[in-house]
Amino acid sequence: MLRLCLILFGSPGSGKGTQAKLLKDAFNIAHISTGDMLRERIAAGDELGKQVDSIIKAGKLVPDEAVNQMVADRTLQKDCENGFILDGYPRTVEQAKWLTSWFAAEKFHPTAVRPKVVHLEVDYNVIMARISGRRQCPICGTLYNTAQEPDRVACDLEGAKLVIRDDDREDVVRERLNAYERQTAPVLAFLREAGYMCSEVAGGADPKVIARQIEQNIRKECANLA
Ligand SMILES: [Zn+2]
């Protein structure tokens, strides 16, 4: 049986979280989010969790070896039998190097499909429109979007005047997108060089349509391999 591995990339505002959920269900595979995993380890309070917690609190990056090991351990769990989606990993070229050599290792053959990179690319203007419509209630935190409700100015719950979050200001969003680009470009370049298929998917359309398109591409590829 083939084991599927999708490596999912997507900028802020690309709908990566939604795609991860849809693809997880479509293929009945596990969703491995390194961000969630780190938070779970911290919450668990075990030895590794404590180390991770103190590293993050000190404003440092968790070492690549620790993240690599966590991902490798996670893929041994039962829900990864059919395969898994990697979300938020690999984040560095070092992690990508480790991942490719790990996939090339004996124990992954012959049941693994060559890992496939899915890169959700969304037009800058679409992301800006999506994010710049966001408004938040300063009292209860409820989020609204003026793209869906152009006349919306106040919160339903206590009538507070809605505000634009600092995170959603245009200059902040642009900087987040630039940071994503700087961080991701070398990782994607490495994976492409390593012969991993990189499919660029425009993320502007309906999420379900995008997920179906990704699913069909992958099924076609798996059929070719089988
Ligand atoms: Zn409110």
Side-chain angles (χ1 to χ4, degrees), residues 10-226:
S11 65
S14 67
K16 180 163 69 83
T18 308
Q19 286 307 317
K21 264 192 216 91
L22 291 169
L23 292 170
K24 167 188 151 90
D25 292 342
F27 290 107
N28 190 25
I29 54 181
H31 173 206
I32 301 180
S33 152
T34 40
D36 288 350
M37 248 165 38
L38 289 171
R39 281 186 287 276
E40 277 161 23
R41 291 307 271 258
I42 292 170
D46 57 13
E47 203 44 51
L48 184 58
K50 281 180 197 149
Q51 282 175 22
V52 168
D53 193 33
S54 66
I55 291 167
I56 291 175
K57 280 204 176 113
K60 293 191 191 126
L61 289 175
V62 179
D64 289 333
E65 309 86 78
V67 181
N68 294 340
Q69 196 53 53
M70 246 190 283
V71 171
D73 289 349
R74 177 67 184 82
T75 64
L76 298 176
Q77 288 178 24
K78 186 125 179 62
D79 64 341
C80 293
E81 255 175 8
N82 292 334
F84 46 87
I85 299 169
L86 296 176
D87 173 1
Y89 179 91
R91 181 149 296 197
T92 65
V93 172
E94 281 309 311
Q95 290 177 4
K97 276 184 192 157
W98 184 87
L99 184 69
T100 52
S101 61
W102 183 60
F103 276 137
E106 202 64 24
K107 64 174 179 172
F108 248 88
H109 285 295
T111 53
V113 167
R114 169 182 279 185
K116 185 167 174 64
V117 174
V118 176
H119 183 206
L120 297 169
E121 286 209 299
V122 187
D123 183 79
Y124 174 78
N125 293 314
V126 173
I127 293 185
M128 284 317 295
R130 203 177 275 174
I131 294 178
S132 65
R134 279 192 212 158
R135 299 289 182 274
Q136 187 171 37
C137 171
I139 312 278
C140 68
T142 303
L143 287 169
Y144 298 92
N145 201 314
T146 56
Q148 286 131 29
E149 301 177 277
D151 299 329
R152 163 74 59 186
V153 288
C155 180
D156 279 337
L157 294 176
E158 67 293 88
K161 191 172 182 303
L162 303 179
V163 297
I164 299 175
R165 299 188 307 173
D166 279 345
D167 273 2
D168 291 344
R169 285 192 355 249
E170 184 163 352
D171 54 332
V172 176
V173 174
R174 187 178 300 124
E175 181 42 39
R176 274 166 64 206
L177 289 172
N178 286 341
Y180 168 81
E181 194 60 37
R182 275 198 302 277
Q183 189 179 47
T184 310
V187 179
L188 278 174
F190 177 84
L191 292 173
R192 203 171 285 134
E193 194 105 325
Y196 283 41
M197 227 73 73
C198 289
S199 95
E200 319 259 314
V201 182
D206 182 326
K208 289 202 178 109
V209 174
I210 296 167
R212 201 162 313 127
Q213 185 191 327
I214 297 171
E215 185 189 345
Q216 282 167 357
N217 286 344
I218 292 167
R219 292 207 187 277
K220 211 178 291 168
E221 204 174 292
C222 291
N224 290 343
L225 285 171

